Amino acid sequence: MAVATARSRRQASECITEEARKAEGMTTVLVVEDEIEIARVVRDYLRNAGFEVIVVGDGGSAVASVRSAKPDLLVLDLGLPVRDGLDVAREVRRWSDTPIVMLTARGDETDRIVGLEIGADDYVVKPFSPKELVARVRAVLRRTRTAARGDEIVRAADVEIDTAKMRVSVGGTQVDLTPTEFQLLATLAREPGRVFTRSQLLDAVHGVAIESYERAIDAHVKNIRRKIEPTPGSPRYVVTVHGVGYRFADA
């Protein structure tokens, strides 16, 4: 109990410090990992890369920290005790578009796909290279900020994308997308009719020279369709080109 209390005080102290740091424009990463040694390695590499880091070890603390500290990105282990990472991601996605990078030891492809479909932006599988994790964190933040900095209005069919405000509307109704979904849709909608391979779309949204999981694109497209298509099973906007990739409908 004493150890748990000390840990709670330390986490609370980190959150308070984080509020002050965010006022100075610091970039904050919340790491949710119950294995102490892994959490320490991730924390140290991210701090050495210039990030401010909060570390928590369970799902309940993760949700509370996202609400209170408002981190810029969440590194989330899926294999948490009591409340696992998938449940945390579902909860966070109900009220926040904070970018999520999953950190998982699970070898089952289905778990990764489910995480991406919930709204995670990327993933790293244990055992992992800390340098790769830092690169993926930077890539997700970079594409989030690139989308936010733009001043372009993209219109295709009755879809309107405001890159400055990171807003998407379909037929005048606003749709909430994660940063990765937003960047992917904007890439497709800028060139209606052009067929993009999955590899090209990975390059467009990841912007990092690391081998990525092409089926991640399928998961993100499924999410986009669920949010923007009148009938997701028979898409009107984001069309599959079998054996190649996807295109945004040109009519």
Side-chain angles (χ1 to χ4, degrees):
M1 180 64 71
V3 173
T5 301
R7 182 181 300 167
S8 299
R9 284 199 297 265
R10 183 173 64 254
Q11 290 172 355
S13 175
E14 286 183 348
C15 289
I16 292 171
T17 303
E18 208 59 41
E19 289 297 323
R21 287 168 176 167
K22 287 183 78 64
E24 299 176 1
M26 304 298 287
T27 298
T28 304
V29 177
L30 172 64
V31 175
V32 188
E33 171 60 68
D34 64 314
E35 296 185 42
I36 295 174
E37 289 304 317
I38 293 177
R40 184 177 296 124
V41 168
V42 172
R43 180 200 64 195
D44 290 348
Y45 268 81
L46 288 170
R47 284 182 174 170
N48 287 339
F51 297 103
E52 298 298 338
V53 184
I54 304 170
V55 178
V56 297
D58 63 89
S61 297
V63 173
S65 294
V66 174
R67 288 187 182 277
S68 62
K70 296 179 174 57
D72 298 286
L73 183 140
L74 178 62
V75 174
L76 176 63
D77 179 28
L78 294 190
L80 298 171
V82 184
R83 187 175 190 183
D84 71 13
L86 292 176
D87 188 46
V88 171
R90 287 189 188 95
E91 172 67 19
V92 170
R93 276 292 169 261
R94 291 192 184 105
W95 40 265
S96 173
D97 62 357
T98 301
I100 298 174
V101 175
M102 298 182 296
L103 185 61
T104 175
R106 297 179 182 179
D108 189 348
E109 176 182 272
T110 302
D111 287 320
R112 299 197 293 273
I113 291 295
V114 169
L116 292 167
E117 289 179 349
I118 288 171
D121 294 272
D122 206 347
Y123 74 93
V124 176
V125 177
K126 300 176 185 175
F128 64 93
S129 160
K131 291 182 179 179
E132 177 182 352
L133 174 61
V134 171
R136 289 191 181 269
V137 166
R138 283 175 168 159
V140 170
L141 288 168
R142 184 164 57 247
R143 65 179 180 261
T144 301
R145 289 164 179 166
T146 296
R149 283 198 303 267
D151 57 0
E152 180 185 12
I153 301 293
V154 178
R155 294 184 179 87
D158 58 351
V159 175
E160 181 173 293
I161 302 170
D162 185 334
T163 58
K165 298 178 180 178
M166 285 192 70
R167 290 180 181 172
V168 175
S169 62
V170 181
T173 301
Q174 187 168 325
V175 178
D176 293 325
L177 300 181
T178 68
T180 298
E181 293 163 6
F182 181 91
Q183 193 75 0
L184 180 57
L185 180 62
T187 297
L188 289 164
R190 285 189 181 101
E191 300 184 68
R194 174 184 169 182
V195 177
F196 288 85
T197 66
R198 290 173 178 82
S199 179
Q200 288 171 327
L201 291 171
L202 279 169
D203 289 343
V205 301
H206 280 214
V208 59
I210 294 176
E211 182 180 358
S212 297
Y213 186 45
E214 288 195 0
R215 283 202 62 191
I217 293 295
D218 297 335
H220 291 311
V221 167
K222 182 176 180 181
N223 261 5
I224 292 169
R225 284 173 171 166
R226 177 173 53 81
K227 294 176 180 181
I228 75 168
E229 299 282 1
T231 307
S234 182
R236 172 183 173 187
Y237 305 112
V238 180
V239 179
T240 300
V241 180
H242 295 287
V244 183
Y246 298 96
R247 66 179 175 84
F248 195 95
D250 53 358

